[in-house]
Amino acid sequence: MDRFNQTSPVVGFILLGLSAHPRLEKTFFVLILLMYLVILLGNGVLILVTIHDSRLHTPMYFFLGNLSFLDICYTTSSVPLILDSFLTPRKTISFSACFGQMFLSFAMGATECVLLGMMAFDRYVAICNPLRYSMVMNKAIYIPMAAGSWAAGITNSVVQTSQAMRLPFCGDKVINHFTCEILAVLKLACADISMNVISMVVANVIFLGVPVLFIFVSYVFIIATILRIPSAEGKKKAFSTCSAHLTVVVVFYGTILFMYGKPKSRDPLGEDKQDLSDKLTSLFYGVVTPMLNPIIYSLRNKDVKAAVKNLVHQ
């Protein structure tokens, strides 16, 4: 019997969530549910208007429609599981469901990083080379750009998830998180995870570092071009075409930097508070950015505002 227990395959994990803070669970259940409904409504409306309104049939809004669909997929891969964990003290999730959720979250996150870079290139061409915009950003270019973003994100997720699935797991198999977050899962492995860590570092450089650098360089050229525009009205009009994207980029990468860049507490007595803070930061990162994206594009973009009004009044 002992031998069987040691060699039996993993049949599931337990998601700890906020079970150590039961008084917070009902509050966060309502809060996260409301935010999820806003995400579905806001991004759903953006997808509808980009399809329905012919004025929005441009590369920029095609990318925006992809971003909205991606945000819906990303939150749907994790939020229902999170909400369920608030209602169940010890939420058990099967091995296949855990890695399925990990795969979807990983794929959507990596795809969004690449897609934001593609959207920066679109704004660079529109502002720095406006006369060549229709020639450079035609359907034969921007559709493969979006498809390539999805393919890159999915490929990365296949690599990371498949490596994690091959690891042996032992102990009580309790994941100290709301979802099957890969770092929390890797802590349960009873084998060397150095290759997994190296693979993730390489992926972070490719899917975080490269897009950030690309976006930064694009906006250096964009800002330089805007500053050379003689009239104040012309500068304002040019900046308005990229301000929504820039705001989304700052929110997206700023939240990631806050999550992983803040110092860890060295006080043993503060570990519980640190653990709770890390969980809540991760939780809100998964819902705040997708919720803000449609709000930012609706408030800072006249074309989207007009398209939403037309859709409502029909």
Side-chain angles (χ1 to χ4, degrees):
M1 179 66 73
D2 289 340
R3 187 183 175 195
F4 175 78
N5 286 338
Q6 290 174 4
T7 59
S8 60
V10 178
V11 295
F13 298 99
I14 296 172
L15 296 170
L16 203 57
L18 284 177
S19 56
H21 307 275
R23 287 184 295 180
L24 295 177
E25 290 185 317
K26 291 183 179 180
T27 301
F28 280 103
F29 176 85
V30 175
L31 183 60
I32 299 302
L33 177 60
L34 290 175
M35 294 173 76
Y36 181 52
L37 293 176
V38 172
I39 289 168
L40 294 179
L41 178 62
N43 286 287
V45 169
L46 269 184
I47 293 172
L48 283 177
V49 297
T50 55
I51 295 173
H52 182 266
D53 198 310
S54 59
R55 293 172 299 177
L56 302 185
H57 293 173
T58 64
M60 182 175 77
Y61 297 111
F62 175 76
F63 287 129
L64 178 57
N66 273 263
L67 183 65
S68 294
F69 179 68
L70 190 153
D71 282 340
I72 289 176
C73 293
Y74 178 74
T75 52
T76 301
S77 72
S78 58
V79 170
L81 185 64
I82 293 170
L83 293 174
D84 188 46
S85 73
F86 288 146
L87 301 177
T88 309
R90 287 174 67 85
K91 168 64 180 174
T92 303
I93 184 170
S94 68
F95 182 87
S96 57
C98 181
F99 284 99
Q101 184 268 317
M102 181 190 295
F103 167 79
L104 290 173
S105 295
F106 232 115
M108 298 305 106
T111 300
E112 182 157 358
C113 291
V114 180
L115 191 63
L116 288 173
M118 298 298 183
M119 294 173 76
F121 177 75
D122 172 72
R123 292 299 83 207
Y124 161 77
V125 177
I127 293 174
C128 299
N129 297 282
L131 298 179
R132 299 183 59 199
Y133 181 74
S134 58
M135 181 178 67
V136 175
M137 296 301 295
N138 57 64
K139 277 191 175 182
I141 299 296
Y142 69 77
I143 291 179
M145 286 172 66
S149 300
W150 284 92
I154 290 171
T155 301
N156 175 58
S157 187
V158 168
V159 172
Q160 303 299 332
T161 307
S162 61
Q163 286 182 333
M165 287 181 69
R166 288 197 293 266
L167 292 170
F169 296 93
C170 46
D172 53 10
K173 305 180 185 70
V174 175
I175 300 175
N176 190 18
H177 211 275
F178 298 104
T179 62
C180 292
E181 199 269 339
I182 190 166
L183 293 177
V185 173
L186 290 180
K187 289 179 180 179
L188 305 179
C190 44
D192 182 23
I193 61 170
S194 57
M195 289 305 298
N196 300 76
V197 173
I198 292 171
S199 178
M200 289 181 62
V201 169
V202 172
N204 285 340
V205 171
I206 295 172
F207 289 92
L208 285 174
V210 173
V212 166
L213 180 62
F214 186 78
I215 291 168
F216 175 77
V217 172
S218 296
Y219 272 99
V220 167
F221 284 105
I222 288 171
I223 293 171
T225 301
I226 291 176
L227 292 177
R228 288 199 297 266
I229 297 175
S231 67
E233 186 63 28
K235 289 179 181 178
K236 183 179 179 181
K237 184 177 180 181
F239 184 73
S240 67
T241 64
C242 61
S243 60
H245 172 258
L246 184 58
T247 305
V248 167
V249 166
V250 170
V251 171
F252 181 76
Y253 286 106
T255 310
I256 292 177
L257 183 63
F258 175 76
M259 278 179 60
Y260 296 106
K262 63 179 181 177
K264 300 294 182 180
S265 174
R266 295 184 179 181
D267 180 9
L269 297 176
E271 286 183 359
D272 289 341
K273 291 183 178 179
Q274 179 73 53
D275 179 60
L276 178 61
S277 173
D278 290 344
K279 284 184 181 181
L280 294 181
T281 302
S282 175
L283 174 63
F284 281 101
Y285 163 72
V287 292
V288 169
T289 303
M291 183 184 71
L292 290 179
N293 286 351
I295 296 173
I296 291 168
Y297 272 98
S298 298
L299 292 177
R300 303 187 70 87
N301 191 294
K302 294 180 180 179
D303 293 334
V304 173
K305 282 185 190 176
V308 171
K309 287 181 180 178
N310 290 338
L311 184 66
V312 171
H313 291 150
Q314 283 184 356

